[in-house]
Amino acid sequence: MLERYYQELLRLISRSTGCRDKAQDVVQEAYSRILARKTATGAASLHAGAAPDSGQRALLYVTAKNIVIDEQRLHQRRPHDDIDEDRLQLRAPRADEPDQRLHDRQTMERLLTIIEALPPRCRQAFALYKFDGLSQIEIAAQMGISVNMVEKHIINGMLACKKGLPDRVTGKDSA
């Protein structure tokens, strides 16, 4: 029976899978499953000497088709096999790492020291703008100075902060 249905089954499975090599693997697997089943149950052999039986042919075809279906299901269920697992490692946000938290705290302390060292009017304008979120016009009205002067105070405060930060925070090389 092996030789009798092999080519016919191979053509059928080749059309189903679209690949002759894969079809050969499926047909081989189908034959081995049936042979294992027949051996385990002690039933008649599928070799050429056995009497031809349409039930054996049907069993062979159904087994092969089921193998194809199982492989398709497996592929549909596991399309992520080609994804690089290292890229999917869940990592805590950088801000939650202890060394980053320490660095952020030190940077914040440095900025507060720089802001405290600003001249009083410059510090007041800068703080109202950055921390209180007031507009330059509102700051000018509150401090009793011109909007142009508020802009200068804010710029001076920002430049002082930028100058006092480490290079890796600002992303620029110091000269």
Side-chain angles (χ1 to χ4, degrees):
M1 184 168 149
L2 183 66
E3 296 83 18
R4 175 182 243 171
Y5 301 121
Y6 181 79
Q7 290 300 326
E8 181 182 337
L9 184 59
L10 184 61
R11 281 192 300 273
L12 176 72
I13 301 301
S14 290
R15 285 192 302 264
S16 294
T17 62
C19 176
R20 186 168 177 85
D21 291 334
K22 188 181 276 188
Q24 287 174 334
D25 292 341
V26 168
V27 172
Q28 177 68 33
E29 178 66 20
Y31 273 106
S32 65
R33 285 185 187 182
I34 291 174
L35 287 173
R37 180 173 174 245
K38 295 286 184 181
T39 304
T41 61
S45 174
L46 288 177
H47 295 292
D53 182 16
S54 63
Q56 290 177 339
R57 180 177 182 263
L59 179 62
L60 182 63
Y61 277 62
V62 168
T63 303
K65 279 297 206 181
N66 286 342
I67 292 169
V68 170
I69 291 169
D70 289 346
E71 287 183 2
Q72 288 173 346
R73 285 182 184 158
L74 182 64
H75 181 68
Q76 287 174 352
R77 197 174 14 178
R78 299 179 63 188
H80 61 280
D81 284 345
D82 60 340
I83 295 175
D84 183 13
E85 300 248 350
D86 291 336
R87 290 182 23 218
L88 294 179
Q89 293 296 323
L90 297 176
R91 294 183 180 99
R94 177 90 170 111
D96 290 340
E97 294 181 10
D99 60 333
Q100 184 64 40
R101 294 181 96 177
L102 175 64
H103 176 262
D104 291 346
R105 187 173 341 122
Q106 290 172 343
T107 301
M108 184 60 70
E109 289 171 0
R110 179 73 180 132
L111 283 172
L112 290 174
T113 302
I114 292 168
I115 293 169
E116 288 173 4
L118 291 173
R121 300 291 278 178
C122 181
R123 180 178 57 240
Q124 182 184 6
F126 185 78
L128 289 171
Y129 182 75
K130 283 295 190 181
F131 301 127
D132 295 342
L134 297 180
S135 70
Q136 294 174 3
I137 295 171
E138 293 170 325
I139 296 169
Q142 184 174 339
M143 291 179 66
I145 58 175
S146 69
V147 175
N148 190 26
M149 197 64 206
V150 170
E151 289 175 1
K152 288 181 183 179
H153 286 316
I154 293 171
I155 289 171
N156 287 337
M158 292 177 86
L159 288 174
C161 288
K162 186 175 180 178
K163 183 179 177 185
L165 289 179
D167 292 336
R168 71 178 189 173
V169 174
T170 61
K172 296 187 179 181
D173 295 331
S174 59

